[in-house]
Amino acid sequence: MKRHPLSAAFPDMQEDEFASLVADIKANGLREQGWTYEGMILDGWHRSRACELAGVSFRYAEYKGSDPVGFVRSRN
């Protein structure tokens, strides 16, 4: 799944932080689902990639609100 442009407005995680996220998801599974909007990942881009590397299914729900900008700001 592609990264939504609103999600891409936020900087990527540092490599060591991302490696820690992958290790945590491997050990504990995905604790918090992601959110999609317009068929792309609105929130949870790093979790999605980490799940892929950890061999864990990425869970997500479709954002259905009226303020995706406010939503993604609040989540980040």
Side-chain angles (χ1 to χ4, degrees), residues 11-36:
D12 284 334
M13 295 177 84
Q14 298 295 318
E15 285 185 41
D16 60 331
E17 293 172 326
F18 183 70
S20 291
L21 178 61
V22 172
D24 183 72
I25 289 175
K26 246 184 213 181
N28 302 300
L30 179 64
R31 295 178 188 245
E32 189 171 335
Q33 73 178 16
W35 293 90
T36 60

Side-chain angles (χ1 to χ4, degrees), residues 43-63:
D43 178 68
W45 177 250
H46 297 106
R47 281 173 276 148
S48 170
R49 290 181 47 235
C51 281
E52 188 176 323
L53 291 174
V56 172
S57 294
F58 179 63
R59 296 183 321 277
Y60 57 89
E62 177 73 16
Y63 174 72

